[in-house]
Amino acid sequence: MRLKWLFVVLCVVGVSGCVTVSPWQRGNLAKSEMSWSPDALESTLDGHIYFAKEASSGGGAAAGGGCGCN
Amino acid sequence: MSKKLTLLAKSALAIPGMIATAQAAGPAGSEASYRYTYYTEDDSPEARDDSGGAQDRYKIQVHQFHILTPVTDKFAVNVEASYESMSGASPVYSYIADGQEDVYTHFNGASRERRYDVSANGRYYGSTSDAGAGVYASMERDYFALNGSLDGSIQINDQMTTLSGGVSAGHDWLNPNSGVVSDSGDVLMVNDLSSEELEQLAADAPARHAAKGKTKWQLSVFEGVGQIIDMNTVVQGSVSFTYKTGYLSDPYRDCVGSDAPLADNVPCDIRPSTRAAGTLSLGVRRYLPTLNAAVHGDYRLFVDNWDVMSHTLDLDYYQNWAPNWNFFVNNDVNFQLVPGVRYYQQSQAYFYEIPDLNTTTGSAYSADTTRYYSSDPRLSHYGAISLKTRLKIDFRQFSLNGSVERYAANPAYGFNFDDDTPGLPAYWRFTTGLDFRF
Amino acid sequence: MSARLRSFGFKAMGGPCNVHLWLREEDELTKIEKELTDEVRRLEAKFSRFQPSSLLSQINRGELNEVSLDAETVGLFNYVDQCFDLSGHMFDPTIGSLHRVWDFKIPNLPDPRDLERALQHIGWKKVNWDGRTVNLTHNVQIDLGGIVKEFAVDRLCTLLKEKGLIGLVNLSGDIAVSQAPEDKPAWKVAIQHPRKAGAIAEVDLAAGAIAGSGDYERFIEIDGVRYCHLLRPDTGYPAPNGFCAVSVIAENCLLAGTVSTVAMLKGELGHAWLEEMQLPYVAFDQALQAYSSIEV
């Protein structure tokens, strides 16, 4: 339940206090280096290696599939 | 066009809002990528290796393939596949040897192993929403994992806010090898052993014997919210919850092999059969117009019911450079240099313990090891620092990629100055590859 | 249901604005009308030199000296900077002080001493534009009247394009179309006769924009010589022996507007400028002789 509560707080913090940025003002935001994970294969391998070497995994999306490495 | 007109037209089109942006958010073109990675762990510390000498630790070569292609203007398919081959020794148990104070680690050299995985997903793009479904399979000689996922996002609040959510489920099958090599040189799988051989295995390698035919399940959900702050800033927060149940112990962790009288009391690796984990992730992307650069910041908090709590902080800086010289302009040459740093820190699982085989202590362990126990360094209290640099060079519809990562884990990096954990890895990772857009 | 040609109009930026567009859904009209009007009002409020609260007024009062400006303003100033260089310093948005010494309501030339004083406050370089910030010196004032109307036409046209709509935007004679009309290969656009009511020519516009300048909009006549409102930043006078009207077709209205304005300011060299720019144009000299690179 604690996580749910955090989510609600995030929503409120996120929505308030921002001026509207029109679609034509979003050129910078649309650049590839501004995406959440600019390189898909690098993100995949990062996730795989850190999952294999550390006790934590996931975050940002639903957990991916496993492997015999952990 | 005359040169003057070209210049004038270019600066007119550079004004934000002069060009209509497409409403459908789906990918406009196809992209294919290949990456080759060489991963090599530092040799084990000689002084703490109970074999008495340094051993070659893991070396992995990874080939990755990726293709993204729009099928219609609203539907795109994304496929990733990889092939890994690995060899080298990995830590199988740690202990404080009889008559010693330091922690020693025992390594087992694995034969050459291979892993194949493939994932495919389709995504439908609406004007202010998208939805995707994907499947994933990973195959090893001794392990098979399947996973399916659904996710979607919707933009609200003048498309300033993106709400996303998803669910995934996976099932894994364990089929550990027996550590026994047949006459023809094949590594025998636990399932293939005769009943006599199995009895022997139960005595020699109880962890592998116990994992025979075991499976595990995983279910995961996440919710996220992204928010545009201004023309150059976007932030994101998300929470996820993952539940695993089944055989979660590591079948390749061996029991302490030692002549010390207490060694027999130490089990191999017994982890709880369920694990519930939650994450809170926060991210920010900020574009710096004057520098033509972008800054990425990501934080993840991970908490689970094994008492593992971890903090991960990732900082990356994307510096673009597009030289304004004829050859470079005519061929769309751009350079992007991306230095980054990652810091990771975790607390130990409640059942992690290094058994102390000194007879004087009277007991090899203090935890209730009849239920749960592990000396896996990955469950210890430690920290890790990783430095990474990537270089991307665009040339027409190609991008050449290269990256180097140095990673080192150490108890001290996690502000743990009391413990000694020799099995923690340090590695170099080198990646190179090519993207092709068509 | 097939699309129907709908229209609406409003007053903006000192003149009438008309939008014609093909719509399938009747009820979309009010929504689009509001969105387009809002966008023009936004630009008026931001770039008007008469509204004290506008961004431009703040800039002109020096309140934003050495402060990073927003991307849209940066884009417009970069464009101005480019125009200033390419036009041989003819295109200069700092000539505002000249309009205080020229009064086009009474047939008198300005006092040469007043003119001399006014010229000291003119010069785009005195704005010290560095690609990100300004630092106004010499009491210089920026007047974006020469480009904001054209930019507004382009913005409205872009909004139509983003919605996939076929339409034409006309703001006081500066025109842009999102694409060819549904029933014809091109929109018919009439060019105003410089000396009397009615059209002097018609052009077909399937895409892009057309914008024009003429000496007929505001002028005074003294001893048979016509002095129009298009004043040169170097002499403080309109260009002698220039065209009386120029219309240029370009991919966007901003480009068409500045190229035609510069052609007027260049005087005798206006024709060479138009030829050099290689954009389709129609121009008339004082004797109403036509110069044209296209069929009209």
Side-chain angles (χ1 to χ4, degrees), chain B residues 313-325:
Chain B
L313 189 64
D314 250 306
L315 294 172
D316 294 290
Y317 177 79
Y318 286 70
Q319 179 63 59
N320 296 305
W321 184 52
N324 198 18
W325 305 325

Side-chain angles (χ1 to χ4, degrees), chain B residues 331-382:
Chain B
N331 290 297
D332 288 326
V333 178
N334 295 291
F335 296 89
Q336 188 178 66
L337 185 69
V338 189
V341 57
R342 177 182 186 271
Y343 175 71
Y344 175 79
Q345 187 217 311
Q346 71 172 45
S347 63
Q348 71 174 47
Y350 69 85
F351 51 87
Y352 169 81
E353 190 172 3
I354 301 289
D356 185 346
L357 303 187
N358 284 296
T359 48
T360 51
T361 61
S363 167
Y365 44 81
S366 54
D368 175 13
T369 52
T370 52
R371 290 188 66 202
Y372 308 122
Y373 158 84
S374 180
S375 67
D376 188 340
R378 292 176 295 192
L379 297 174
S380 70
H381 173 190
Y382 73 97

Side-chain angles (χ1 to χ4, degrees), chain C residues 120-141:
Chain C
Q120 285 169 11
H121 305 308
I122 291 176
W124 172 245
K125 290 292 169 203
K126 292 167 185 160
V127 165
N128 292 304
W129 174 243
D130 69 355
R132 197 165 47 100
T133 64
V134 293
N135 191 6
L136 270 58
T137 57
H138 300 83
N139 283 323
V140 73
Q141 299 279 292

Side-chain angles (χ1 to χ4, degrees), chain B residues 1-23 231-232 289-290, chain C residues 70-72 75-76 79 82-83 86 132 151 154-155 158 161-162 251-252 254-255 259 273 276-279:
Chain B
M1 277 212 288
S2 75
K3 182 141 199 247
K4 279 188 183 176
L5 182 61
T6 311
L7 286 169
L8 211 52
K10 211 174 156 186
S11 46
L13 292 180
I15 306 171
M18 285 293 279
I19 304 170
T21 46
Q23 288 287 297
M231 287 191 300
N232 296 311
T290 50
Chain C
D70 67 283
E72 187 176 61
L76 284 168
Y79 180 76
Q82 187 77 260
C83 283
L86 296 177
R132 197 165 47 100
F151 179 61
D154 287 329
R155 280 293 313 134
T158 302
K161 284 179 187 165
E162 283 178 349
E251 60 178 299
N252 54 61
L254 194 56
L255 209 50
V259 170
W273 161 260
E276 186 189 358
M277 294 308 282
Q278 295 173 13
L279 283 173

Side-chain angles (χ1 to χ4, degrees), chain B residues 216 243-250 269-276 304-307 349-352 371-374 379:
Chain B
K216 59 186 167 195
Y243 182 77
K244 294 181 185 189
T245 183
Y247 194 79
L248 303 179
S249 305
D250 185 340
D269 193 68
I270 321 169
R271 304 185 190 189
S273 59
T274 60
R275 187 178 190 187
D304 75 5
N305 63 349
W306 289 3
D307 279 0
Y350 69 85
F351 51 87
Y352 169 81
R371 290 188 66 202
Y372 308 122
Y373 158 84
S374 180
L379 297 174

